Amino acid sequence: MAALALAAGAPVLAAPADAAAQRLAPYTCKQGYVWREATAGDLVCVTPAIRSQTAAENAAGPSNQQPGSVFCKQGFVWRETRPSDLVCVVPSSRTQAKSDNANAPYRLVDPGATPQGGVSVRTESHQLGGGGYLYATGTGLSANQSVRFYAVGIGTVGPYSLGSLTANAQGALSGWNYVADMRCRAQQTGPATIVVLDQGSGTVTTGGITYAFWC
């Protein structure tokens, strides 16, 4: 399914046919991008050419496997748009998939409108006031993969990169982990939304809000 495009700077949201369509609305891509759909539920926004390439790879994947196994023939590697994606592709396609995952938050109309995921955040105030320290914990992430954090709603800037952590072998951030030192901004008049990217799958969710940028 193609992502809903933008028109005149606003998302074109046709009346959804069912509840499922409504749930997918937060993952609306910016103009010029569509959902990759490498696997079920893959809503990473890519160019139409990459989506076409991905569909062709899915069709050709079995012919690139060693007979009777999931391992790839010489010259091919698993695409790994997410850990379960074992479609055999040329190495450049895997590199492309990792790049698209890393850029996922920047290609959404509003990454701050995505649903709450398995990661939660909290802010501890600076002792002298103004700003604060961001901490995160959570589960349901790609094992041993980078988890990146962004702030959305800081003036006209966004997503604003804050820092990253690495999920453990169980796909979790065990305990509360330090992410970033956030400083207040003179023009900030409300909270910012913290957006979480599971870089191993390209999944974008929200982790909560922070008032640290509000002086």
Side-chain angles (χ1 to χ4, degrees):
M1 181 187 296
L4 300 174
L6 284 176
V12 179
L13 297 176
D18 52 33
Q22 290 178 324
R23 288 195 299 271
L24 295 178
Y27 293 98
T28 300
C29 299
K30 289 182 177 179
Q31 188 172 13
Y33 293 96
V34 293
W35 293 331
R36 182 172 57 196
E37 297 185 309
T39 61
D42 176 24
L43 305 184
V44 172
C45 297
V46 299
T47 63
I50 293 298
R51 184 172 68 177
S52 296
Q53 173 186 305
T54 301
E57 290 169 347
N58 286 353
S63 66
N64 298 330
Q65 293 175 334
Q66 296 179 15
S69 79
V70 298
F71 296 105
C72 301
K73 292 179 179 178
Q74 187 173 7
F76 295 91
V77 296
W78 289 331
R79 185 172 54 199
E80 296 180 331
T81 56
R82 58 184 58 202
S84 61
D85 180 6
L86 305 184
V87 173
C88 294
V89 299
V90 295
S92 61
S93 288
R94 181 166 68 181
T95 300
Q96 179 68 52
K98 292 183 182 300
S99 175
D100 288 327
N101 283 4
N103 284 289
Y106 298 99
R107 297 174 178 177
L108 291 169
V109 170
D110 183 5
T114 54
Q116 175 82 36
V119 175
S120 298
V121 298
R122 66 175 175 140
T123 302
E124 290 187 4
S125 300
H126 291 153
Q127 291 183 345
L128 299 179
Y133 302 107
L134 183 69
Y135 293 85
T137 187
T139 58
L141 300 162
S142 299
N144 303 313
Q145 295 293 316
S146 177
V147 184
R148 301 199 62 85
F149 295 82
Y150 303 84
V152 175
I154 305 176
T156 59
V157 176
Y160 177 76
S161 181
L162 296 173
S164 66
L165 298 170
T166 301
N168 62 23
Q170 288 72 47
L173 301 174
S174 181
W176 286 97
N177 301 265
Y178 170 81
V179 177
D181 181 356
M182 302 174 292
R183 301 303 174 110
C184 67
R185 297 177 175 234
Q187 304 303 316
Q188 188 73 13
T189 58
T193 300
I194 302 300
V195 171
V196 183
L197 168 66
D198 177 354
Q199 197 160 320
S201 67
T203 302
V204 180
T205 58
T206 51
I209 63 171
T210 181
Y211 287 87
F213 298 103
W214 190 1
C215 297

